Amino acid sequence: MRLTVVGCAGSFAGPASPASCYLVQAEHKGRTWNLVLDLGNGSLGPLQGLIDLHDIDALVLSHLHPDHCMDVTGLFVVQKYHPSRPPEDTRRLPIYGPQDTAARLVRANAVTLSESKDPHGMDPEFDFRVLTHKEPFTVGPFRITPFRVNHPVEAYGVRVAAGDRVLVYTGDTDDTPVLDELMAGAHLALTDSAYQEERDTIVGIHLSGRRAATAAVRAGGVQRLMLTHIPVWNDPADCVAEAAQVWPGEVELAQAGQTYEV
């Protein structure tokens, strides 16, 4: 299983990275399967440099804040209008997300008031499917289990297994006992690290580097810790230093454009 960081900037696109988007790939039945986790602001452009957008097998949206989902509006244009797509190709791209995903994205994309009120306006292009806490589903070689996490809106971390390898993506979350089961035994844990200790005191929104490391150690068996979703006003070195106070190994930083073997 391979993880490519398409975008990892926290809360909005930065000068060196789009907002959240991760491409997960694995070989299965003679081809490469492409699973996309989140599609935040600015990520659709660099994603096209990695794969043909028609080759996305499924998209999982952790939650519906713009920095995790807004480029779906551009993907809709590709699905609906791309001239190379033959009229007989009626495949609908599976999109997994929180309960009101379809309606949220229709409102974001609508150009008229009537369009904004039709929650099924994207149904010809997208097959919207609802994430449910701890109910796994399969996409090709991937077994994906969502876990409801600790964020102001309905939000999920996901556990992605392919063969004997496990990748965990926390999405946006503060610490919660749910992280224990989500992260346990992960070969790579890709964790929110948007906050800094002492400075960011509001609870129930994001992890800090220290809290991410604490959760990974508590979960047990996590082999690699990789911090992500760091906003541009934070010094990533500070996030790493916080995590290193707790994490016994190397603290890795997600880097846009980089591919990692899981």
Side-chain angles (χ1 to χ4, degrees):
M1 182 162 47
R2 298 182 302 279
L3 165 69
T4 299
V5 178
V6 183
C8 55
S11 300
F12 59 96
S17 174
S20 296
C21 181
Y22 306 91
L23 173 64
V24 185
Q25 297 175 295
E27 306 305 315
H28 180 63
K29 293 185 176 180
R31 72 172 180 90
T32 300
W33 288 70
N34 299 302
L35 172 68
V36 178
L37 307 178
D38 285 341
L39 197 61
N41 313 63
S43 62
L44 192 64
L47 182 60
Q48 293 172 72
L50 299 168
I51 59 171
D52 187 315
L53 296 179
H54 294 303
D55 291 336
I56 299 173
D57 290 293
L59 169 62
V60 177
L61 300 176
S62 65
H63 64 293
L64 300 178
H65 283 153
D67 60 316
H68 292 260
C69 74
M70 201 48 61
D71 268 21
V72 176
T73 59
L75 185 59
F76 168 77
V77 174
V78 174
Q79 284 286 104
K80 186 175 180 66
Y81 297 112
H82 198 294
S84 69
R85 186 179 186 188
E88 63 272 15
D89 184 358
T90 58
R91 289 174 298 171
R92 301 163 67 215
L93 175 63
I95 296 183
Y96 296 83
Q99 296 220 14
D100 58 347
T101 297
R104 171 75 171 93
L105 293 173
V106 165
R107 290 196 302 272
N109 189 69
V111 296
T112 68
L113 182 60
S114 60
E115 285 181 355
S116 70
K117 294 181 178 180
D118 179 9
H120 302 290
M122 289 181 167
D123 284 4
E125 290 71 36
F126 297 139
D127 179 7
F128 290 103
R129 306 179 186 186
V130 176
L131 294 173
T132 302
H133 177 59
K134 293 176 66 172
E135 287 194 9
F137 56 95
T138 300
V139 176
F142 304 111
R143 181 174 174 83
I144 303 154
T145 307
F147 289 80
R148 180 74 181 265
V149 292
N150 184 11
H151 202 53
V153 299
E154 182 183 355
Y156 295 88
V158 292
R159 185 179 177 92
V160 182
D164 63 350
R165 312 303 289 178
V166 175
L167 165 71
V168 164
Y169 170 49
T170 66
D172 286 9
T173 183
D174 199 348
D175 200 7
T176 166
V178 171
L179 294 180
D180 295 3
E181 190 173 357
L182 169 65
M183 299 172 71
H187 294 93
L188 192 157
L190 185 63
T191 63
D192 175 15
S193 184
Y195 274 5
Q196 290 188 350
E197 293 292 322
E198 298 182 4
R199 186 195 70 188
D200 301 311
T201 58
I202 300 174
V203 298
I205 301 179
H206 290 294
L207 292 166
S208 64
R210 183 180 180 87
R211 292 204 292 273
T214 299
V217 170
R218 189 180 67 227
V222 177
Q223 294 187 15
R224 295 170 64 186
L225 176 68
M226 183 176 290
L227 307 182
T228 193
H229 201 271
I230 298 174
V232 297
W233 53 63
N234 283 0
D235 184 343
D238 292 338
C239 300
V240 170
E242 284 189 8
Q245 296 172 11
V246 178
W247 184 248
E250 177 189 2
V251 179
E252 300 180 60
L253 276 174
Q255 299 287 342
Q258 294 297 307
T259 298
Y260 307 90
E261 294 293 328
V262 179

